[in-house]
């Protein structure tokens, strides 16, 4: 019997719909296992801009600081409205500072293909069956946070022109802490760690290899593999089963995790946990706010529900409750209750709420 305080940031467009289903499932967990979850909602992203004129108000950070964990929906607006003040820079103003504020450097993105979805994967069943990887994406540094600029420089024919740049910067301790976590996680799994970088071109990529090679002797049971990111993105499709734990930089992890989620057919299936050195965590789906389908009950809530399961396991140390949620999700998929992103042509389409209610019901039944 415990009480947990969860900061809930529903975010934009489909955010409130999918967060509501994760909350419903957590409430079912509370009833079944006798825990109390207090949900403290706060505004962030475009939703906060409407009320506070900024994307990440201090009051929202205060709610997050007071919580045991953060459950976050997607922030952001339509791609063609990036110059609208409500949406301009929302990711840079809200998501990045939130990650930085809590030093959430370890982003865990598991991708395991459930049997019920084997036939739906764009990759042939025989290649995708048994896929079970854990992408550890560095989340607090790299090109997302390095020096950036927008300046006038002299171009061809002595005409001035704009030059815009972002910079990949990594410090040794930033690579080392992520790599140690990757080795530890691999030790507890199939004992294989793949570092993905671009060491043939980037000095930071070479640095990742040096740092990882240096700590490798501390983990004699783990087989370390290295892949350039271009080759890795091909291997992800040709032979996804070969991956166990992956460690990679912020940007490569962003790209590769969307690619890996495609093995499940939909980004709507990708959960994530972001942790700092004291184990404090933020949990969010890896997908965006999907303005085109918002408010229609079409969004897949599973990525958010599975993110909540990660919260149960990693922040609250409730492995049994986490497993109950994961098994309920598998069952719902096996039953064929699927939102449009997963439904095949001619198949009945379930709503966001139907999926959430059924998962909660199964969790309640035990
Ligand atoms: C993700 C998203 C974010 C990222 C965006 C929305 C800033 O794509 O969590 O993968 O790039 O980290
Ligand atoms: Mg992404």
């Amino acid at each position: 019997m415990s009480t947990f305080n969860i900061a809930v940031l529903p975010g934009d467009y489909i955010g409130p719909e999918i967060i509501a289903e994760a909350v419903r499932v957590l409430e079912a967990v509370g009833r079944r296992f006798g825990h109390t979850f207090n949900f403290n909602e706060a505004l962030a992203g475009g939703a906060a801009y409407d009320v506070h004129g900024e994307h990440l108000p201090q009051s929202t950070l205060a709610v997050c600081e007071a919580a045991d964990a953060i459950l976050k929906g997607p922030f952001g607006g339509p791609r063609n409205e990036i110059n609208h003040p409500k949406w301009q820079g929302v990711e840079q103003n809200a998501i990045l500072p939130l990650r930085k504020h809590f030093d959430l450097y370890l982003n865990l993105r598991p991708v395991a293909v459930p049997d019920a979805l084997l036939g739906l994967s764009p990759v042939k069943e025989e290649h995708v069956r048994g896929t079970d990887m854990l992408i550890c994406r560095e989340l607090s540094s790299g090109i997302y946070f390095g020096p950036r600029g927008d300046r006038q420089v002299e171009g061809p024919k002595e005409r001035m022109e704009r030059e815009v740049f972002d910079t990949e910067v990594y410090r040794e301790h930033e690579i080392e802490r992520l790599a140690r976590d990757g080795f530890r996680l691999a030790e507890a799994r199939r004992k294989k760690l793949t570092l993905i970088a671009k060491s043939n071109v980037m000095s930071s990529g070479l640095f990742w290899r040096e740092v990882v090679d240096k700590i490798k002797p501390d983990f004699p049971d783990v087989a370390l593999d290295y892949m350039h990111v271009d080759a890795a993105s091909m291997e992800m499709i040709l032979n996804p089963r070969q991956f166990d734990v992956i460690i990679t930089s912020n940007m490569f992890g962003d790209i590769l995790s969307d690619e890996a989620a495609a093995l499940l057919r939909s980004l709507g299936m990708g959960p994530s946990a972001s942790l700092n050195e004291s184990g404090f965590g933020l949990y969010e789906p890896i997908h965006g706010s999907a303005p085109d389908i918002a408010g229609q009950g079409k969004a897949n809530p599973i990525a958010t529900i599975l993110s909540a399961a990660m919260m149960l396991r990693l922040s609250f140390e409730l492995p049994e409750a986490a497993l109950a949620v994961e098994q309920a999700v598998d069952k719902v998929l096996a039953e064929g209750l699927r939102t449009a992103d997963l439904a095949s042509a001619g198949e009945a389409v379930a709503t966001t709420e139907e999926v959430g209610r059924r998962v909660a019901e199964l969790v309640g039944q035990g």
Side-chain angles (χ1 to χ4, degrees):
M1 305 288 146
S2 308
T3 299
F4 301 99
N5 296 313
I6 304 174
V8 179
L9 315 180
D12 301 312
Y13 289 99
I14 61 167
E17 299 167 59
I18 53 179
I19 288 286
E21 299 314 318
V23 166
R24 189 194 304 284
V25 170
L26 286 170
E27 277 169 342
V29 166
R31 283 192 297 275
R32 159 126 178 250
F33 294 91
H35 302 298
T36 304
F37 298 109
N38 296 322
F39 299 100
N40 303 315
E41 266 201 33
L43 294 174
Y49 190 89
D50 283 340
V51 177
H52 300 277
E54 52 182 322
H55 291 121
L56 187 64
Q58 191 52 47
S59 53
T60 295
L61 280 178
V63 169
C64 294
E65 275 167 4
D68 298 314
I70 304 168
L71 181 64
K72 173 190 164 297
F75 306 163
R79 260 191 292 270
N80 57 2
E81 286 182 36
I82 53 166
N83 292 322
H84 190 292
K86 177 169 172 180
W87 301 121
Q88 201 168 28
V90 55
E91 289 88 353
Q92 275 174 36
N93 299 339
I95 304 180
L96 269 45
L98 189 57
R99 291 171 178 170
K100 196 74 175 176
H101 182 81
F102 291 101
D103 193 24
L104 303 168
Y105 72 95
L106 173 61
N107 184 216
L108 301 174
R109 299 189 161 193
V111 176
V113 181
D115 282 350
L117 293 189
L118 275 179
L120 291 183
S121 177
V123 173
K124 285 201 192 86
E125 227 175 285
E126 70 226 60
H127 297 308
V128 81
R129 185 189 300 278
T131 294
D132 180 3
M133 71 181 94
L134 177 60
I135 299 176
C136 302
R137 167 189 179 195
E138 201 295 323
L139 200 65
S140 64
S141 186
I143 199 166
Y144 276 49
F145 294 97
R148 58 184 63 206
D150 185 338
R151 61 191 176 195
Q152 290 289 323
V153 295
E154 195 174 302
K157 302 200 184 103
E158 287 161 33
R159 280 228 299 272
M160 296 302 278
E161 65 176 351
R162 256 175 95 193
E163 177 183 79
V164 177
F165 61 94
D166 302 281
T167 323
E168 176 86 335
V169 184
Y170 270 109
R171 294 193 179 193
E172 184 162 3
H173 80 272
E174 294 171 330
I175 301 171
E176 182 170 342
R177 63 182 177 177
L178 184 91
R180 285 193 181 278
D181 290 332
F183 275 112
R184 272 185 222 112
L185 288 160
E187 270 179 336
R189 291 173 47 109
R190 300 196 309 278
K191 303 190 175 12
K192 181 171 175 193
L193 182 69
T194 306
L195 164 62
I196 299 178
K198 187 74 183 167
S199 66
N200 51 351
V201 181
M202 293 166 68
S203 47
S204 59
L206 204 53
F207 188 39
W208 272 76
R209 288 187 77 167
E210 282 168 23
V211 174
V212 172
D213 281 341
K214 204 159 85 188
I215 62 174
K216 185 189 173 328
D218 294 348
F219 303 91
D221 295 343
V222 177
L224 175 67
D225 190 17
Y226 171 79
M227 262 185 218
H228 292 317
V229 65
D230 49 350
S233 63
M234 186 183 71
E235 291 296 324
M236 190 70 80
I237 303 296
L238 291 183
N239 180 11
R241 240 192 326 257
Q242 72 184 288
F243 296 108
D244 179 14
V245 177
I246 290 172
I247 49 173
T248 192
S249 65
N250 202 339
M251 189 165 75
F252 291 160
D254 179 43
I255 298 166
L256 290 170
S257 58
D258 271 29
E259 189 190 10
L263 298 170
L264 301 161
R265 173 125 162 199
S266 170
L267 274 184
M269 295 298 297
S272 84
S274 308
L275 304 171
N276 66 18
E277 285 183 9
S278 20
F280 180 74
L282 175 151
Y283 299 83
E284 59 177 330
I286 72 166
H287 60 73
S289 64
D292 53 323
I293 59 162
Q296 304 166 43
K298 286 185 180 168
N300 185 348
I302 289 180
T304 314
I305 291 171
L306 290 176
S307 301
M310 294 182 85
M311 172 188 288
L312 293 170
R313 182 175 285 114
L314 300 173
S315 281
F316 304 157
E317 292 172 29
L318 301 173
E320 209 189 329
L323 195 63
V325 173
E326 288 157 357
Q327 286 174 343
V329 166
D330 279 347
K331 180 121 191 270
V332 167
L333 291 169
E335 287 173 352
L337 201 69
R338 294 167 190 175
T339 43
D341 53 326
L342 296 178
S344 307
E347 218 174 61
V349 168
T351 64
T352 310
E353 190 178 324
E354 280 165 351
V355 172
R357 278 191 187 281
R358 183 68 185 138
V359 175
E361 191 175 68
L362 289 168
V363 165
Q365 283 170 6

